[in-house]
Amino acid sequence: MQNRHDEYHKLTRGERIGYGMGDFAQNLVFGTIGGFLALHMLTVNTISTATAGFIFLFVRIINVVWDPMVGTYVDKRSSPAGKYRPWLLRAGVPLVILSALLFAPIPGIRGSVPFAFIVYLALDLVYSVVNIPYGSLNASLTRDPESIDKLTSTRMMLANSANLLVYTLFPMFVQMASPKDRSLKDTGFFGLKLNMGNYTDPSANYAWFGVYSIYMILGAVALFICYKFTKERVVATAEQTANVKTTDLFLELKNNRPLIILGLFFMLAFTFMFFVNTVNGFFNQYVVNHSEWMGAIGLVASIPGILFPIFWSRLKKIFGKKGFFHLFLAMFIVGQLLTYVWSRSGMHDELWLAYIATFIKQWGLSSATGFMWALVPEVIAYGELKSGKRNAAIINAIMGLFFKIGFTIGGAIPLWLLAAYGFNETGAYQNTNAIDGIIITAVWIPIALAVISMIVIQIYPISDENVTDINRQLDEIRV
């Protein structure tokens, strides 16, 4: 009875912040990779567009085999420090080191495809060993639905605080440290002007590495805080742990319908998110010709994700679970349409339009892709009820596969589209076809995927009433 009571523990603010530091760390480390590695790889590292796309694709294909292996390995083991927490440190340190190597200005390896491929592959494999246990830890802190909603809001606030450092300050810091073509430029921060250089020139390699090294250290500290301030309460029994099998992956895919639907939603959401993120730097650099505004626009983009998650739980009660996602996906689409207006000739210098488009778009995007994590614990509970096994890591590995499929599509296909439209990696300016390719990739394809996402979430079968009933049945089984 005491164990059952502990499973419904009301998480304190400190516990929620402690767990959310894991999101802060991963967005700081891996978010920068997702948002800027493609731009760095093509311009500073001078790897061709098509080759970079194939690197991203091949690494993700390997994840199809790797992630289920990681999930099974983690679920079958435990330690005095917990089943999931220790991996934050065991794999966290290699994660930050490998990520820094991707930007390292090592003599003789600039433009080296084998080096970029091997380091990126190693980074992605290690990332799974951090991310899968971290996601599983989310469902192990408590089974209290209200605490889970609050935890999701807190972790997304911290995740988007990291995004502020990534999408607002990172490009600005790198440009400030870049040596070529330095001049005083208007940053868009209410008239603030800074001496900034060209960060897409190969001479900016030390600038990229220097700034990212600081982010790497901050990420490592955040992972340690997450490890220190979290406690696993909802864990598999010794019998369940001993019975974990690799084939449980197929058992979950067969019997857990909500898992499949939520996984498809994850895949679509991360696809259009990374379509936007991958091409964002190209859009600002070549379509509207205002890369110096990226910091200010990134600041505006970060505001909804930092300040508004506190209202998610209340909005879910007002609109319902599905209505919540429909509202914010529609808001994302409106923001995208305004972004298209900004891309039109004669509108490039309208900073106010960039602010409004970005604010609305990111409010919708951060809310829809942030709150979906609150659905993972209920999918794990549903799977435990159906199979008798609490395969939290395996289910998170499955979710990780859907995420990485989306990450792959959103990271590789935009680069191939740019190549197909004639993007010139060494050109200071792009032709009309290349500009059209950037706009299609950054605006119209994400809109289409958001519409499909709205259809998918409509058929998600677990309501809040179902969650209460699932927990009740699990309590009866555990007596």
Side-chain angles (χ1 to χ4, degrees):
M1 289 296 295
Q2 176 59 40
N3 288 340
R4 283 176 54 193
H5 176 74
D6 200 36
E7 288 183 355
Y8 288 92
H9 170 76
K10 297 284 187 180
L11 295 176
T12 67
R13 182 180 290 107
E15 289 174 314
R16 297 197 304 267
I17 292 174
Y19 179 77
M21 291 303 291
D23 279 280
F24 179 88
Q26 293 186 75
N27 275 27
L28 201 63
V29 174
F30 208 73
T32 310
I33 297 293
F36 293 99
L37 180 61
L39 182 64
H40 176 273
M41 192 176 286
L42 268 59
T43 58
V44 178
N45 210 23
T46 63
I47 291 176
S48 74
T49 308
T51 300
F54 278 110
I55 290 175
F56 292 140
L57 175 64
F58 188 79
V59 169
R60 292 295 179 263
I61 292 175
I62 294 176
N63 281 131
V64 174
V65 178
W66 175 252
D67 281 13
M69 292 171 58
V70 171
T72 304
Y73 185 86
V74 170
D75 266 336
K76 284 187 68 68
R77 284 157 180 81
S78 189
S79 73
K83 181 185 286 286
Y84 308 116
R85 291 173 62 245
W87 297 103
L88 298 177
L89 300 184
R90 293 172 185 170
V93 174
L95 175 72
V96 295
I97 294 174
L98 286 167
S99 61
L101 282 176
L102 284 171
F103 297 110
I106 302 173
I109 60 116
R110 185 169 73 87
S112 171
V113 174
F115 179 84
F117 169 74
I118 292 171
V119 175
Y120 186 64
L121 172 62
L123 169 69
D124 203 69
L125 298 180
V126 172
Y127 177 71
S128 295
V129 186
V130 174
N131 186 255
I132 291 173
Y134 178 73
S136 305
L137 182 60
N138 177 40
S140 300
L141 301 178
T142 184
R143 286 170 59 193
D144 177 64
E146 184 180 359
S147 288
I148 291 173
D149 285 349
K150 289 182 178 180
L151 176 66
T152 302
S153 298
T154 302
R155 63 182 292 200
M156 288 303 113
M157 290 171 70
L158 286 163
N160 286 296
S161 296
N163 286 340
L164 172 66
L165 293 174
V166 172
Y167 296 106
T168 300
L169 298 179
F170 184 80
M172 187 171 70
F173 288 154
V174 176
Q175 289 180 81
M176 289 172 63
S178 298
K180 188 174 180 180
D181 299 330
R182 297 180 62 82
S183 62
L184 198 63
K185 298 178 181 177
D186 184 356
T187 63
F189 281 114
F190 307 103
L192 175 64
K193 295 184 178 182
L194 294 173
N195 197 22
M196 305 168 77
N198 181 3
Y199 76 146
T200 60
D201 187 82
S203 63
N205 54 359
Y206 285 97
W208 283 83
F209 180 70
V211 175
Y212 190 76
S213 295
I214 298 172
Y215 280 42
M216 175 191 71
I217 295 170
L218 292 175
V221 172
L223 281 174
F224 178 77
I225 293 173
C226 179
Y227 170 83
K228 192 70 175 176
F229 289 94
T230 51
K231 178 183 178 181
E232 297 177 24
R233 296 181 181 88
V234 187
V235 295
T237 64
E239 181 181 0
Q240 288 175 323
T241 299
N243 290 333
V244 171
K245 301 175 182 178
T246 305
T247 53
D248 287 347
L249 169 73
F250 303 102
L251 185 66
E252 294 292 346
L253 289 172
K254 178 183 177 182
N255 297 328
N256 199 330
R257 181 170 175 264
L259 169 65
I260 301 300
I261 295 173
L262 184 60
L264 289 173
F265 184 77
F266 264 60
M267 181 187 72
L268 289 165
F270 280 111
T271 297
F272 68 72
M273 175 193 287
F274 281 105
F275 255 82
V276 172
N277 290 350
T278 298
V279 188
N280 184 55
F282 298 91
F283 184 89
N284 284 275
Q285 181 81 12
Y286 300 108
V287 176
V288 296
N289 299 309
H290 283 297
S291 61
E292 73 279 5
W293 287 357
M294 286 184 66
I297 293 171
L299 174 61
V300 171
S302 300
I303 292 173
I306 296 173
L307 299 183
F308 297 162
I310 193 173
F311 301 112
W312 286 354
S313 180
R314 188 177 306 172
L315 289 171
K316 189 191 79 169
K317 292 178 181 178
I318 295 173
F319 295 100
K321 189 181 296 183
K322 295 176 182 178
F324 178 97
F325 288 104
H326 290 156
L327 169 67
F328 285 106
L329 286 171
M331 191 177 294
F332 168 77
I333 292 171
V334 171
Q336 284 287 90
L337 292 173
L338 291 174
T339 301
Y340 174 72
V341 175
W342 182 32
S343 73
R344 294 295 80 199
S345 178
M347 302 300 292
H348 297 170
D349 295 330
E350 304 298 332
L351 182 59
W352 63 270
L353 177 59
Y355 280 167
I356 294 174
T358 301
F359 186 85
I360 296 174
K361 173 174 64 178
Q362 287 301 132
W363 191 359
L365 182 63
S366 63
S367 299
T369 59
F371 195 73
M372 66 185 182
W373 292 101
L375 277 56
V376 176
E378 64 190 42
V379 167
I380 292 173
Y382 179 91
E384 182 180 1
L385 182 63
K386 290 295 182 181
S387 68
K389 298 182 177 182
R390 190 171 180 82
N391 293 324
I394 289 177
I395 287 177
N396 271 280
I398 295 172
M399 299 307 298
L401 284 177
F402 282 112
F403 154 68
K404 288 181 178 178
I405 291 171
F407 184 87
T408 301
I409 297 172
I413 290 183
L415 299 181
W416 295 341
L417 286 173
L418 295 188
Y421 276 88
F423 180 80
N424 181 3
E425 297 92 346
T426 60
Y429 300 95
Q430 303 297 325
N431 60 37
T432 302
N433 282 341
I435 296 298
D436 289 341
I438 294 173
I439 294 172
I440 289 171
T441 307
V443 176
W444 297 115
I445 294 179
I447 286 176
L449 293 173
V451 171
I452 298 173
S453 298
M454 297 172 77
I455 297 172
V456 170
I457 201 63
Q458 182 62 33
I459 61 175
Y460 180 73
I462 300 180
S463 66
D464 290 335
E465 292 76 16
N466 294 144
V467 173
T468 301
D469 186 57
I470 290 169
N471 283 330
R472 179 187 57 77
Q473 293 183 63
L474 288 175
D475 287 340
E476 292 174 353
I477 292 171
R478 291 175 180 225
V479 170

